[in-house]
Amino acid sequence: MAEHLFHLKANWPGLRNDIGTIETLNLQTEVSIPVEMDGPGIGTNPDEMLLGAAATCYIITLAAMLERSGIEKTSLTMESVGVVDYTNGVVTYKKIIHKPVLVLAVDTSEDKKRIAERLVIKAEDSCMISRALKGNVEVTAEAIIK
């Protein structure tokens, strides 16, 4: 077994509605509470970061599965939506919906198209972030394959 360690440094200089910073090996940004939750809305926020982690994990996992299956694509793009409930001051991350658009190579066989259809679902179950969220946040994929 190989363990990988990822590090993040955070600085929060004030109280609830202040602006902090985070820094990783490849990311440096400001963070605050989003406007939708009565914060200043500067930089990113935990809700966007969780959505970003889930989305990038999913799309990278899908691309790797397509490659391993020998399925050529012309493009793979995606939009993801995070559904967060904010009621009576309680924040609950309810759902993440990935909406990948996979454009296959023109000469893709019907068999490979069927495999691609299965992979857009399987990638969600295989993604490390989705597995970490399982039981707490519903994660789905609504793919368009062309």
Side-chain angles (χ1 to χ4, degrees):
M1 177 176 96
E3 285 189 343
H4 303 280
L5 303 178
F6 297 93
H7 300 273
L8 181 140
K9 293 180 184 177
N11 179 37
W12 196 264
L15 300 174
R16 181 190 187 279
N17 279 339
D18 207 339
I19 301 162
T21 59
I22 59 168
E23 180 180 340
T24 67
L25 181 63
N26 296 301
L27 174 69
Q28 296 177 16
T29 190
E30 292 180 311
V31 292
S32 71
I33 295 172
V35 172
E36 298 85 351
M37 296 177 190
D38 302 320
I42 304 296
T44 190
N45 58 69
D47 309 283
E48 289 177 341
M49 291 176 55
L50 182 61
L51 180 62
T56 54
C57 183
Y58 173 81
I59 203 166
I60 291 168
T61 301
L62 178 55
M65 291 177 147
L66 292 167
E67 180 182 339
R68 280 193 300 268
S69 297
I71 298 173
E72 291 185 44
K73 63 177 179 56
T74 301
S75 71
L76 175 57
T77 59
M78 188 171 74
E79 197 173 309
S80 293
V81 178
V83 179
V84 177
D85 180 61
Y86 184 53
T87 304
N88 298 325
V90 177
V91 182
T92 305
Y93 217 115
K94 298 185 74 123
K95 185 174 186 174
I96 293 174
I97 307 159
H98 299 308
K99 299 178 180 185
V101 177
L102 172 61
V103 180
L104 299 172
V106 178
D107 60 347
T108 302
S109 70
E110 289 302 315
D111 186 45
K112 293 279 186 180
K113 287 178 185 175
R114 282 190 294 279
I115 293 170
E117 289 170 0
R118 287 195 305 270
L119 292 180
V120 297
I121 303 303
K122 186 176 181 183
E124 190 51 56
D125 295 331
S126 301
C127 165
M128 168 183 69
I129 301 298
S130 295
R131 288 193 325 263
L133 295 173
K134 196 171 197 111
N136 293 304
V137 178
E138 180 185 358
V139 184
T140 62
E142 299 171 0
I144 294 173
I145 302 175
K146 299 178 181 181

